[in-house]
Amino acid sequence: MYSFRHFMTSLSRGLPSSFAGLALLGLAACGGSSSEEQQADAAQTTKRALAAGWGKITPPTPAPAVDLSFLRAEGAKWVRASGAPLELKGTNLGNWLVQEFWMMGQGGNGVIDQCTLESKLSQRFGYAEKERLIALFRDNWMKERDWDQHKAFGFNLVRLPILWSVIEDENKPYTLRADAWKYLDWSIAEAKKRGIYVILDLHGAVGGQTPNDHTGCSGQNKYWTSSEYQNRTKWLWEQIATRYKDEPVVAAFDPLNEPWGSTAADMATRVTELYQTIRKIDSKHIVMLPSHYGDIDAYGDPAAKGMSNVAFEMHPYPGLFGDRPNDSAYDIHRDWLRCGPQGNGGVCDVRNKLAGLKTPLLMGEFQPWQSAGLELGGKIGRATYDTYAGYGWASTSWAYKVVSPAGGQGKGVWGMVTNAVDTGQDSGLGLLVKASTWDCAGWNSNFADACAKKPSPIKIGGTGPKTYYLVLKTGATGGGSPDLTYDKISLINDASKSEMLVNGGFGNANGWTTLSISGSENVNFNYLGGDKTPVGGDGAVLRVTRPAGVSGLINGGVYQAVTLQGGQSYSLSGSFRSNGSTETWAEVYLVPQAPVPGVDVVDQAGKVDFASASVAEIERLFKSYGSQAYEVNKGLAKFLVGPATTLFTLPARPNDLKANQTSGAVALTWGANSEADLTGYKVYRNRVRGDASGATLLASGVKTNAFVDSTAEAGARYYYTVSSTDAEDESYRSEEASNAENFSFALPAKIEAEDYAAMGGIQLEDCSDSGGGKDVGHFEAGRFIEFKVSVATAGKFAIDYRLASAGGSSGFEVLVDEIKVDAIAVPNTGGWQTWKTYGGASFNLPAGQHKLRIMAVGGAWNINYFVVKTAI
């Protein structure tokens, strides 16, 4: 899986852009219906596809549980032995045979992945005891009740991630473990009982195919440069293929999960070798061809390369890890599943990549419900599965189960199932608030709107006073550039309304203690710059930055002790801002133990410290996974079965929007929609062209196709859009209309880069430069921004450019009326939000109207504004 640590290291600039109280649902497995029901389901699938505008799609027929015949690729379809196509829907069994500690609420203090866990257990207790404890974990993470829950979700497919050492003896290369097939055989047997297919996924190859912890061992990525590791992986697939070549419940072999530690060409070479290795033994099973960050081009046409019975695999995570941080889950998944306002993005782009290749697709990992809320998340989950099925694609979400010390689904966690909240204990402790530049680059929010984790009510169990520690923790990777500010931190007793914290407004260090975990940080309790004050803050704020000359991972913060009362509840509030930070996180914890220098606070949030815990404590934790009460995601349980959701059945996009400036107001009109279930229109306004996420909602529920904006400021230029709504959905917004379409800047002038009249390919970003606002980035060669300018009297001009770049660039050219007048190579300013001013050459302009275009020659630079001045 694409884990949090994975995103810290793999995302780069320019990439496009996570059974107590509720019994198992006693519903038939997908495909367990009668033939009449199957025909009705097929008809419904076709109706959904055509209504949603997905094109002509051959309706698949769900596979009956009694017919688990071999699957094969026929053209672009997944079909049974009979040739009948079928819908394949399921999930991943993450964290079972390849541990990812964020999925089990553990880790830290040097134990960050399965390799460091096994190493620490072997060091402390010996190899044999380590083996016993790992087996204890695996025997409890998945039980028969979990397979029953898969059936209750209506699934007929499971992707099973495997670490190489589950099968191969780590101490004896090219030797099977004595229990090599224990968990795979058991999975296949349990799946078979319930009419479920299994994809065998080599999630972590020996040596590691990425440098990230989600493949078992972080910091390795040695598979690509070691012929020994490559040969052992081939040997491993020889053993798997030999074992299961005659097993029809195995839907496919997935030879190398997310092989992104090298180039796309390397990936294609090694995967092709593994395909050939499998084919020497097994011609029956489908073999997966993984993408390289969504790119399948490296394989070309598989048939032309002599490959048969193969399927492509992609792992899309729209909206997560810094992608569209200001947009709602609804907007993000609407655009992904319905292809965006132009109809060529999202899944339509995937469809176009596959056109002509006559090869099936597996959406092997995706996560549409996290933080969307249970009701909306359940609907988005169902719409995602149905959309993929409508295109004939198989799908397995990430992931089935995620547990934590706190338990509970909240507004939707990554797991379809999690552990239930223990109401007899303290609740709402541990990690209270989180934002990171991977979750939402450029955040500036209240804690209640934090993008990665929002605070839940805090309930103190028992009776009498108890001491806890509130920790504001900030950190950054070795390549990160942190500049975080905090203000108005408050912890209120809900009953008495008493403030529990001292000096939450800062100005000095009173009440707070600094904490160094890794490296060192600059902590300023009295920052008064004003330009970095988070929303809702005022006066002095707390600012945390990287000291000059300090490299590597830094992690630390400030904390204070608070006395809370048993039986009472408390609410946390505050605000924080990223100020252009990169590869940085901000977290707020409430923990029962005093923080210790050099020890990460994360270890204290209800976790087991594998570096010091006794065997009995570790046993107790691992056994608990098999018996702990579950909380099933209610939205998914409701919407994954039964009738299809009507979510994303969109009203038509309003057209012909006009904005007419009148005295003291702007009058808007547009073409009326004709849908019978139309509930009205929404009207949006912005000061920046093309910045949909930054627009202000002026009105909703407008019943006619006209609106008057009486709040428009005299002389201001605005950009308006309108959308239509029904009870469930909102259409794409109309084309923009402005009350000042012919506006031009009279030179000389300071011009904000986001105030363009036209653009090609760029994106807007929150800007931490003086004055804030937006900057323009994501330039690549040929992308541009263009402005209308006017000159009253002919003369000589020059331009000063406000620029930022993390590595330097060949920069851009400036054209006036398509004539080149200047060229700037952008130096390395020290960061994407580290701003410097650079002057350009002088040039002559005649009087009159002109078009000034800034055209990228190379990428990797940002522009905040430019000043056109009279040259001497």
Coordinates of all heavy atoms in Angstrom, one line a residue, residues 5 58 72 114 118 143 156 212 221 334 388 424 436 459 556 647 651 664 712 784 797:
R5 N 4.5 7.0 5.1 CA 6.0 7.2 5.0 C 6.3 7.2 3.5 O 7.2 7.8 3.0 CB 6.7 6.1 5.8 CG 8.2 6.3 5.7 CD 8.9 5.2 6.5 NE 8.5 5.3 7.9 CZ 9.1 6.2 8.8 NH1 10.0 6.9 8.4 NH2 8.6 6.2 10.0
T58 N -20.4 -3.4 -21.9 CA -21.0 -4.7 -21.9 C -21.4 -5.0 -20.5 O -20.5 -5.0 -19.6 CB -20.1 -5.8 -22.4 OG1 -19.7 -5.4 -23.8 CG2 -20.7 -7.2 -22.4
R72 N -10.0 -15.5 -16.7 CA -9.0 -15.2 -17.7 C -9.3 -13.9 -18.3 O -10.4 -13.3 -18.2 CB -9.0 -16.3 -18.8 CG -10.3 -16.5 -19.5 CD -10.2 -17.7 -20.5 NE -11.5 -18.1 -21.0 CZ -12.1 -17.5 -22.1 NH1 -11.5 -16.5 -22.7 NH2 -13.3 -17.9 -22.5
Q114 N 8.0 -3.9 9.5 CA 8.0 -5.3 9.9 C 9.5 -5.7 10.1 O 9.8 -6.5 11.0 CB 7.4 -6.2 8.8 CG 7.4 -7.7 9.2 CD 6.2 -8.4 8.8 OE1 5.3 -7.9 8.1 NE2 6.2 -9.7 9.1
E118 N 10.8 -7.3 13.6 CA 11.4 -8.7 13.7 C 12.8 -8.6 14.2 O 13.2 -9.5 15.0 CB 11.3 -9.4 12.4 CG 9.9 -9.7 11.9 CD 9.8 -10.7 10.8 OE1 10.7 -11.5 10.7 OE2 8.8 -10.7 10.0
K143 N -9.4 -13.7 11.1 CA -10.1 -14.8 11.6 C -11.3 -15.1 10.7 O -11.5 -14.4 9.7 CB -10.6 -14.5 13.0 CG -9.5 -14.1 14.0 CD -8.6 -15.2 14.4 CE -9.1 -16.0 15.5 NZ -8.2 -16.9 16.1
N156 N -16.6 -10.4 -3.9 CA -16.2 -11.6 -4.5 C -14.7 -11.7 -4.9 O -14.3 -12.5 -5.7 CB -17.1 -12.0 -5.7 CG -16.9 -10.9 -6.8 OD1 -16.3 -9.9 -6.6 ND2 -17.5 -11.2 -8.0
N212 N 10.4 2.3 0.9 CA 9.4 2.6 1.8 C 8.9 1.5 2.7 O 9.0 0.3 2.3 CB 8.2 3.3 1.1 CG 8.7 4.3 0.1 OD1 9.3 5.3 0.5 ND2 8.5 4.1 -1.2
N221 N 15.2 -0.8 -1.0 CA 15.2 -0.6 -2.5 C 16.4 -1.3 -3.2 O 16.9 -0.7 -4.1 CB 15.1 0.9 -2.8 CG 14.6 1.1 -4.2 OD1 13.8 0.4 -4.7 ND2 15.2 2.1 -4.8
R334 N -16.4 13.3 -7.3 CA -17.2 13.6 -8.5 C -16.3 13.8 -9.7 O -16.6 13.3 -10.8 CB -18.0 14.8 -8.2 CG -18.9 15.3 -9.4 CD -19.4 16.7 -9.2 NE -18.3 17.7 -9.1 CZ -18.5 18.9 -8.8 NH1 -19.7 19.4 -8.6 NH2 -17.4 19.8 -8.7
Y388 N -16.1 1.7 -11.5 CA -15.0 0.8 -12.1 C -15.7 -0.4 -12.7 O -15.2 -0.8 -13.8 CB -14.1 0.4 -10.9 CG -13.3 1.5 -10.3 CD1 -12.7 1.4 -9.1 CD2 -13.1 2.7 -11.0 CE1 -11.9 2.4 -8.5 CE2 -12.3 3.7 -10.5 CZ -11.7 3.6 -9.2 OH -11.0 4.6 -8.7
G424 N -15.4 2.3 28.5 CA -15.1 2.3 30.0 C -13.7 3.0 30.3 O -13.4 3.1 31.4
S436 N -0.5 17.8 7.6 CA 0.8 17.6 7.1 C 0.8 18.1 5.6 O -0.2 18.3 5.0 CB 1.3 16.1 7.1 OG 0.7 15.4 6.0
K459 N -13.1 12.5 26.8 CA -13.8 12.0 27.9 C -12.8 11.3 28.9 O -12.2 10.4 28.5 CB -14.9 11.1 27.5 CG -15.7 10.4 28.7 CD -16.6 11.4 29.3 CE -17.5 10.7 30.3 NZ -18.5 11.6 31.0
G556 N 10.0 17.5 17.2 CA 10.0 18.0 18.6 C 8.8 18.9 18.8 O 7.8 18.8 18.1
L647 N -25.8 8.9 -6.2 CA -24.8 9.9 -6.0 C -24.1 10.1 -7.3 O -23.7 9.1 -8.0 CB -23.9 9.6 -4.9 CG -22.9 10.6 -4.5 CD1 -23.6 11.8 -3.8 CD2 -21.8 10.1 -3.6
P651 N -26.9 17.0 -12.3 CA -27.7 17.9 -13.1 C -26.8 18.5 -14.2 O -25.5 18.5 -14.1 CB -28.1 19.0 -12.1 CG -27.9 18.5 -10.8 CD -26.8 17.5 -10.9
G664 N -23.8 49.9 -8.5 CA -23.7 49.4 -7.2 C -24.0 47.9 -7.1 O -24.1 47.4 -6.0
A712 N -21.1 43.5 -4.3 CA -19.9 43.8 -5.1 C -19.4 45.2 -4.7 O -20.1 46.1 -4.7 CB -20.2 43.6 -6.5
F784 N 1.7 28.9 -19.7 CA 1.9 30.4 -19.7 C 0.8 31.0 -18.8 O -0.2 30.4 -18.5 CB 1.7 30.9 -21.1 CG 0.4 30.7 -21.7 CD1 -0.6 31.7 -21.6 CD2 0.0 29.5 -22.4 CE1 -1.9 31.6 -22.1 CE2 -1.2 29.4 -22.9 CZ -2.2 30.4 -22.8
F797 N 10.3 50.3 -20.7 CA 9.9 49.6 -19.4 C 10.8 48.5 -19.0 O 11.6 48.0 -19.9 CB 8.4 49.1 -19.6 CG 7.4 50.1 -19.8 CD1 7.1 50.6 -21.1 CD2 6.7 50.7 -18.7 CE1 6.2 51.6 -21.3 CE2 5.7 51.7 -19.0 CZ 5.5 52.1 -20.3

